Short mmCIF file of all heavy atoms in Angstrom, two decimals:
data_model
loop_
_atom_site.label_atom_id
_atom_site.label_comp_id
_atom_site.label_asym_id
_atom_site.label_seq_id
_atom_site.Cartn_x
_atom_site.Cartn_y
_atom_site.Cartn_z
N LEU A 378 2.79 14.64 15.04
CA LEU A 378 1.80 14.89 13.99
C LEU A 378 2.35 15.75 12.87
O LEU A 378 1.86 15.68 11.74
CB LEU A 378 0.56 15.56 14.59
CG LEU A 378 -0.16 14.80 15.70
CD1 LEU A 378 -1.30 15.64 16.25
CD2 LEU A 378 -0.70 13.47 15.19
N TYR A 379 3.36 16.56 13.18
CA TYR A 379 3.93 17.48 12.18
C TYR A 379 5.23 16.96 11.60
O TYR A 379 5.80 17.62 10.72
CB TYR A 379 4.18 18.85 12.82
CG TYR A 379 2.94 19.50 13.37
CD1 TYR A 379 2.62 19.41 14.72
CD2 TYR A 379 2.08 20.22 12.55
CE1 TYR A 379 1.48 20.00 15.24
CE2 TYR A 379 0.94 20.82 13.05
CZ TYR A 379 0.64 20.71 14.40
OH TYR A 379 -0.49 21.30 14.90
N TYR A 403 -7.63 10.68 20.49
CA TYR A 403 -8.30 11.80 19.83
C TYR A 403 -8.68 12.88 20.84
O TYR A 403 -8.46 14.08 20.59
CB TYR A 403 -9.55 11.28 19.11
CG TYR A 403 -10.46 12.37 18.60
CD1 TYR A 403 -10.10 13.14 17.50
CD2 TYR A 403 -11.67 12.64 19.22
CE1 TYR A 403 -10.93 14.15 17.03
CE2 TYR A 403 -12.51 13.64 18.77
CZ TYR A 403 -12.13 14.39 17.67
OH TYR A 403 -12.95 15.40 17.22
N PHE A 406 -5.34 14.80 22.09
CA PHE A 406 -4.43 15.53 21.22
C PHE A 406 -5.10 16.22 20.03
O PHE A 406 -4.51 17.15 19.47
CB PHE A 406 -3.34 14.60 20.68
CG PHE A 406 -2.53 13.94 21.75
CD1 PHE A 406 -2.73 12.60 22.05
CD2 PHE A 406 -1.59 14.64 22.46
CE1 PHE A 406 -1.98 11.98 23.04
CE2 PHE A 406 -0.83 14.03 23.45
CZ PHE A 406 -1.03 12.70 23.74
N MET A 407 -6.28 15.81 19.61
CA MET A 407 -6.82 16.31 18.35
C MET A 407 -8.20 16.95 18.49
O MET A 407 -8.61 17.70 17.60
CB MET A 407 -6.88 15.17 17.33
CG MET A 407 -5.56 14.45 17.14
SD MET A 407 -5.54 13.27 15.79
CE MET A 407 -5.58 14.35 14.39
N LYS A 408 -8.92 16.67 19.52
CA LYS A 408 -10.26 17.23 19.68
C LYS A 408 -10.17 18.74 19.86
O LYS A 408 -9.42 19.25 20.69
CB LYS A 408 -10.95 16.60 20.89
CG LYS A 408 -12.40 17.00 21.04
CD LYS A 408 -13.04 16.26 22.20
CE LYS A 408 -14.51 16.62 22.33
NZ LYS A 408 -15.14 15.90 23.47
N GLY A 409 -10.93 19.47 19.05
CA GLY A 409 -10.90 20.92 19.09
C GLY A 409 -9.78 21.54 18.30
O GLY A 409 -9.70 22.78 18.21
N ARG A 410 -8.90 20.74 17.73
CA ARG A 410 -7.75 21.24 16.96
C ARG A 410 -7.76 20.74 15.53
O ARG A 410 -6.76 20.86 14.82
CB ARG A 410 -6.44 20.82 17.63
CG ARG A 410 -6.29 21.28 19.07
CD ARG A 410 -4.98 20.81 19.68
NE ARG A 410 -3.84 21.26 18.90
CZ ARG A 410 -2.90 20.46 18.43
NH1 ARG A 410 -2.98 19.16 18.62
NH2 ARG A 410 -1.87 20.94 17.75
N MET A 411 -8.88 20.19 15.09
CA MET A 411 -8.93 19.61 13.75
C MET A 411 -8.73 20.67 12.67
O MET A 411 -8.11 20.41 11.64
CB MET A 411 -10.27 18.89 13.55
CG MET A 411 -10.49 17.72 14.50
SD MET A 411 -9.40 16.34 14.15
CE MET A 411 -10.19 15.67 12.70
N GLY A 412 -9.25 21.87 12.88
CA GLY A 412 -9.08 22.92 11.89
C GLY A 412 -7.64 23.34 11.72
O GLY A 412 -7.15 23.47 10.59
N SER A 413 -6.95 23.56 12.83
CA SER A 413 -5.54 23.96 12.73
C SER A 413 -4.67 22.83 12.21
O SER A 413 -3.71 23.07 11.46
CB SER A 413 -5.05 24.40 14.11
OG SER A 413 -5.16 23.35 15.05
N LEU A 414 -4.97 21.59 12.57
CA LEU A 414 -4.19 20.46 12.05
C LEU A 414 -4.42 20.27 10.56
O LEU A 414 -3.51 19.88 9.82
CB LEU A 414 -4.56 19.18 12.80
CG LEU A 414 -4.13 19.10 14.27
CD1 LEU A 414 -4.71 17.85 14.92
CD2 LEU A 414 -2.61 19.08 14.39
N ALA A 415 -5.65 20.51 10.09
CA ALA A 415 -5.94 20.34 8.66
C ALA A 415 -5.18 21.34 7.81
O ALA A 415 -4.95 21.08 6.62
CB ALA A 415 -7.44 20.47 8.42
N ARG A 416 -4.81 22.47 8.37
CA ARG A 416 -4.06 23.47 7.59
C ARG A 416 -2.63 23.04 7.34
O ARG A 416 -2.00 23.51 6.39
CB ARG A 416 -4.05 24.82 8.32
CG ARG A 416 -5.40 25.50 8.38
CD ARG A 416 -5.23 26.98 8.71
NE ARG A 416 -4.46 27.17 9.94
CZ ARG A 416 -4.99 27.32 11.13
NH1 ARG A 416 -6.31 27.30 11.27
NH2 ARG A 416 -4.23 27.50 12.19
N ASN A 417 -2.10 22.15 8.20
CA ASN A 417 -0.72 21.74 8.04
C ASN A 417 -0.61 20.67 6.96
O ASN A 417 -1.42 19.75 6.88
CB ASN A 417 -0.17 21.21 9.37
CG ASN A 417 1.30 20.89 9.30
OD1 ASN A 417 1.69 19.77 9.04
ND2 ASN A 417 2.14 21.89 9.52
N GLU A 418 0.43 20.78 6.16
CA GLU A 418 0.60 19.86 5.03
C GLU A 418 0.83 18.43 5.48
O GLU A 418 0.39 17.48 4.82
CB GLU A 418 1.77 20.33 4.16
CG GLU A 418 2.00 19.50 2.91
CD GLU A 418 3.16 20.01 2.08
OE1 GLU A 418 3.82 20.97 2.52
OE2 GLU A 418 3.41 19.45 0.99
N THR A 419 1.51 18.23 6.61
CA THR A 419 1.82 16.88 7.09
C THR A 419 0.73 16.34 7.99
O THR A 419 0.30 15.20 7.85
CB THR A 419 3.16 16.91 7.84
OG1 THR A 419 4.19 17.42 6.97
CG2 THR A 419 3.56 15.52 8.28
N ALA A 420 0.27 17.14 8.95
CA ALA A 420 -0.75 16.67 9.89
C ALA A 420 -2.09 16.41 9.21
O ALA A 420 -2.93 15.70 9.77
CB ALA A 420 -0.93 17.69 11.01
N ALA A 421 -2.31 16.97 8.03
CA ALA A 421 -3.59 16.76 7.33
C ALA A 421 -3.82 15.28 7.02
O ALA A 421 -4.97 14.83 6.98
CB ALA A 421 -3.62 17.59 6.05
N PHE A 422 -2.76 14.52 6.80
CA PHE A 422 -2.94 13.09 6.52
C PHE A 422 -3.46 12.35 7.75
O PHE A 422 -4.30 11.45 7.64
CB PHE A 422 -1.61 12.48 6.07
CG PHE A 422 -1.15 12.97 4.73
CD1 PHE A 422 -0.20 13.98 4.63
CD2 PHE A 422 -1.66 12.44 3.57
CE1 PHE A 422 0.23 14.44 3.40
CE2 PHE A 422 -1.25 12.89 2.32
CZ PHE A 422 -0.30 13.90 2.24
N VAL A 423 -2.99 12.74 8.92
CA VAL A 423 -3.51 12.13 10.15
C VAL A 423 -4.96 12.53 10.36
O VAL A 423 -5.78 11.73 10.81
CB VAL A 423 -2.64 12.55 11.35
CG1 VAL A 423 -3.06 11.81 12.61
CG2 VAL A 423 -1.16 12.29 11.07
N VAL A 424 -5.30 13.77 10.02
CA VAL A 424 -6.68 14.23 10.15
C VAL A 424 -7.61 13.40 9.27
O VAL A 424 -8.73 13.05 9.67
CB VAL A 424 -6.76 15.73 9.80
CG1 VAL A 424 -8.22 16.19 9.74
CG2 VAL A 424 -5.99 16.55 10.81
N GLN A 425 -7.17 13.05 8.08
CA GLN A 425 -8.01 12.24 7.19
C GLN A 425 -8.30 10.88 7.80
O GLN A 425 -9.43 10.38 7.73
CB GLN A 425 -7.30 12.08 5.85
CG GLN A 425 -7.16 13.36 5.05
CD GLN A 425 -6.47 13.13 3.73
OE1 GLN A 425 -6.88 12.30 2.92
NE2 GLN A 425 -5.39 13.85 3.50
N VAL A 427 -8.41 10.17 10.93
CA VAL A 427 -9.30 10.37 12.07
C VAL A 427 -10.73 10.59 11.60
O VAL A 427 -11.68 10.04 12.16
CB VAL A 427 -8.80 11.55 12.93
CG1 VAL A 427 -9.82 11.90 14.02
CG2 VAL A 427 -7.46 11.22 13.55
N LEU A 428 -10.91 11.38 10.55
CA LEU A 428 -12.25 11.66 10.04
C LEU A 428 -12.94 10.38 9.56
O LEU A 428 -14.17 10.26 9.63
CB LEU A 428 -12.19 12.68 8.91
CG LEU A 428 -11.78 14.11 9.30
CD1 LEU A 428 -11.61 14.96 8.05
CD2 LEU A 428 -12.82 14.72 10.22
N LEU A 431 -14.43 8.70 12.99
CA LEU A 431 -15.23 9.41 13.98
C LEU A 431 -16.70 9.01 13.87
O LEU A 431 -17.22 8.75 12.78
CB LEU A 431 -15.08 10.92 13.80
CG LEU A 431 -13.75 11.55 14.20
CD1 LEU A 431 -13.76 13.04 13.90
CD2 LEU A 431 -13.43 11.29 15.66
N ALA A 435 -19.03 13.27 17.04
CA ALA A 435 -17.67 13.81 16.93
C ALA A 435 -17.42 14.36 15.53
O ALA A 435 -16.71 15.36 15.37
CB ALA A 435 -16.65 12.73 17.26
N LEU A 436 -18.00 13.73 14.52
CA LEU A 436 -17.84 14.22 13.15
C LEU A 436 -18.53 15.57 12.97
O LEU A 436 -18.03 16.44 12.25
CB LEU A 436 -18.39 13.20 12.16
CG LEU A 436 -18.20 13.50 10.68
CD1 LEU A 436 -16.71 13.52 10.34
CD2 LEU A 436 -18.90 12.45 9.82
N SER A 437 -19.66 15.74 13.61
CA SER A 437 -20.35 17.03 13.54
C SER A 437 -19.50 18.14 14.15
O SER A 437 -19.42 19.26 13.61
CB SER A 437 -21.70 16.94 14.25
OG SER A 437 -22.37 18.18 14.22
N ALA A 438 -18.83 17.85 15.28
CA ALA A 438 -17.94 18.84 15.89
C ALA A 438 -16.74 19.13 14.99
O ALA A 438 -16.30 20.29 14.87
CB ALA A 438 -17.48 18.34 17.26
N ALA A 439 -16.19 18.08 14.36
CA ALA A 439 -15.07 18.30 13.44
C ALA A 439 -15.49 19.11 12.22
O ALA A 439 -14.72 19.93 11.70
CB ALA A 439 -14.49 16.95 13.01
N LEU A 440 -16.72 18.89 11.76
CA LEU A 440 -17.24 19.66 10.63
C LEU A 440 -17.32 21.14 10.96
O LEU A 440 -16.95 22.00 10.15
CB LEU A 440 -18.62 19.12 10.24
CG LEU A 440 -19.30 19.76 9.03
CD1 LEU A 440 -18.49 19.49 7.76
CD2 LEU A 440 -20.71 19.23 8.86
N ALA A 441 -17.77 21.44 12.17
CA ALA A 441 -17.83 22.84 12.60
C ALA A 441 -16.44 23.44 12.78
O ALA A 441 -16.25 24.65 12.59
CB ALA A 441 -18.64 22.95 13.89
N ASP A 442 -15.47 22.61 13.15
CA ASP A 442 -14.11 23.09 13.37
C ASP A 442 -13.38 23.34 12.06
O ASP A 442 -12.60 24.31 11.95
CB ASP A 442 -13.36 22.07 14.23
CG ASP A 442 -12.07 22.64 14.81
OD1 ASP A 442 -11.86 23.86 14.69
OD2 ASP A 442 -11.28 21.87 15.38
N ILE A 443 -13.61 22.50 11.06
CA ILE A 443 -12.89 22.63 9.79
C ILE A 443 -13.60 23.60 8.85
O ILE A 443 -12.97 24.17 7.96
CB ILE A 443 -12.74 21.24 9.13
CG1 ILE A 443 -11.91 20.32 10.04
CG2 ILE A 443 -12.09 21.32 7.77
CD1 ILE A 443 -11.76 18.91 9.53
N GLY A 444 -14.91 23.82 9.04
CA GLY A 444 -15.67 24.69 8.14
C GLY A 444 -15.05 26.06 7.92
O GLY A 444 -14.91 26.50 6.75
N PRO A 445 -14.65 26.79 8.97
CA PRO A 445 -14.05 28.12 8.72
C PRO A 445 -12.73 28.08 7.97
O PRO A 445 -12.29 29.12 7.46
CB PRO A 445 -13.86 28.67 10.14
CG PRO A 445 -14.82 27.92 11.00
CD PRO A 445 -14.88 26.54 10.39
N GLN A 446 -12.10 26.93 7.89
CA GLN A 446 -10.79 26.84 7.24
C GLN A 446 -10.89 26.50 5.75
O GLN A 446 -9.86 26.33 5.10
CB GLN A 446 -9.94 25.76 7.93
CG GLN A 446 -9.85 25.90 9.44
CD GLN A 446 -9.17 27.18 9.87
OE1 GLN A 446 -8.37 27.74 9.13
NE2 GLN A 446 -9.50 27.64 11.07
N VAL A 447 -12.12 26.38 5.22
CA VAL A 447 -12.28 25.95 3.83
C VAL A 447 -11.60 26.89 2.84
O VAL A 447 -10.86 26.45 1.95
CB VAL A 447 -13.78 25.77 3.51
CG1 VAL A 447 -13.99 25.59 2.01
CG2 VAL A 447 -14.34 24.58 4.25
N PRO A 448 -11.80 28.21 2.92
CA PRO A 448 -11.12 29.08 1.93
C PRO A 448 -9.60 28.94 1.97
O PRO A 448 -8.96 28.91 0.92
CB PRO A 448 -11.59 30.49 2.35
CG PRO A 448 -12.86 30.28 3.08
CD PRO A 448 -12.69 28.98 3.81
N GLY A 449 -9.04 28.85 3.17
CA GLY A 449 -7.59 28.71 3.26
C GLY A 449 -7.11 27.38 2.72
O GLY A 449 -6.05 27.30 2.08
N LEU A 450 -7.84 26.31 2.96
CA LEU A 450 -7.44 24.99 2.45
C LEU A 450 -7.49 24.96 0.93
O LEU A 450 -6.60 24.39 0.28
CB LEU A 450 -8.35 23.91 3.04
CG LEU A 450 -8.23 23.67 4.55
CD1 LEU A 450 -9.28 22.66 5.01
CD2 LEU A 450 -6.84 23.17 4.91
N ILE A 451 -8.52 25.56 0.35
CA ILE A 451 -8.61 25.58 -1.11
C ILE A 451 -7.53 26.47 -1.70
O ILE A 451 -6.95 26.17 -2.76
CB ILE A 451 -10.02 26.05 -1.52
CG1 ILE A 451 -11.05 24.98 -1.13
CG2 ILE A 451 -10.08 26.32 -3.02
CD1 ILE A 451 -12.47 25.38 -1.42
N ARG A 453 -4.59 26.85 -0.52
CA ARG A 453 -3.34 26.10 -0.44
C ARG A 453 -3.40 24.79 -1.21
O ARG A 453 -2.45 24.00 -1.16
CB ARG A 453 -3.01 25.80 1.02
CG ARG A 453 -2.74 27.03 1.87
CD ARG A 453 -2.43 26.62 3.30
NE ARG A 453 -2.10 27.75 4.16
CZ ARG A 453 -2.99 28.47 4.82
NH1 ARG A 453 -4.30 28.16 4.72
NH2 ARG A 453 -2.64 29.48 5.58
N ARG A 455 -5.15 22.10 -0.61
CA ARG A 455 -5.18 20.94 0.30
C ARG A 455 -6.63 20.52 0.47
O ARG A 455 -7.23 20.71 1.53
CB ARG A 455 -4.53 21.29 1.63
CG ARG A 455 -3.04 21.58 1.49
CD ARG A 455 -2.44 22.17 2.74
NE ARG A 455 -1.07 22.61 2.49
CZ ARG A 455 -0.41 23.46 3.27
NH1 ARG A 455 -1.01 23.96 4.34
NH2 ARG A 455 0.82 23.81 2.99
N VAL A 458 -8.49 16.75 2.55
CA VAL A 458 -9.23 16.72 3.82
C VAL A 458 -10.70 16.99 3.58
O VAL A 458 -11.58 16.35 4.19
CB VAL A 458 -8.62 17.73 4.81
CG1 VAL A 458 -9.43 17.78 6.09
CG2 VAL A 458 -7.18 17.37 5.12
N LEU A 459 -11.01 17.93 2.70
CA LEU A 459 -12.41 18.26 2.41
C LEU A 459 -13.12 17.06 1.76
O LEU A 459 -14.27 16.76 2.09
CB LEU A 459 -12.47 19.47 1.48
CG LEU A 459 -11.74 20.73 1.95
CD1 LEU A 459 -11.89 21.85 0.93
CD2 LEU A 459 -12.26 21.17 3.30
N LEU A 462 -13.81 14.50 4.44
CA LEU A 462 -14.89 14.96 5.31
C LEU A 462 -16.25 14.81 4.63
O LEU A 462 -17.24 14.41 5.27
CB LEU A 462 -14.63 16.40 5.72
CG LEU A 462 -15.60 17.02 6.74
CD1 LEU A 462 -15.68 16.17 8.00
CD2 LEU A 462 -15.17 18.44 7.09
N PHE A 476 -21.59 23.14 4.30
CA PHE A 476 -20.16 22.92 4.07
C PHE A 476 -19.86 22.88 2.58
O PHE A 476 -18.87 23.45 2.12
CB PHE A 476 -19.74 21.62 4.75
CG PHE A 476 -18.27 21.35 4.70
CD1 PHE A 476 -17.38 22.06 5.48
CD2 PHE A 476 -17.76 20.37 3.86
CE1 PHE A 476 -16.02 21.82 5.43
CE2 PHE A 476 -16.40 20.12 3.81
CZ PHE A 476 -15.53 20.85 4.60
#
Side-chain angles (χ1 to χ4, degrees):
L378 301 176
Y379 301 97
Y403 170 73
F406 302 105
M407 307 188 71
K408 187 176 182 180
R410 302 179 57 234
M411 298 291 284
S413 60
L414 291 173
R416 292 198 305 266
N417 186 266
E418 183 179 4
T419 303
F422 293 99
V423 186
V424 172
Q425 294 180 55
V427 173
L428 292 174
L431 288 178
L436 185 63
S437 179
L440 182 65
D442 195 9
I443 298 177
Q446 309 297 334
V447 169
L450 293 175
I451 292 177
R453 296 180 178 87
R455 295 170 188 162
V458 176
L459 305 180
L462 185 55
F476 186 73

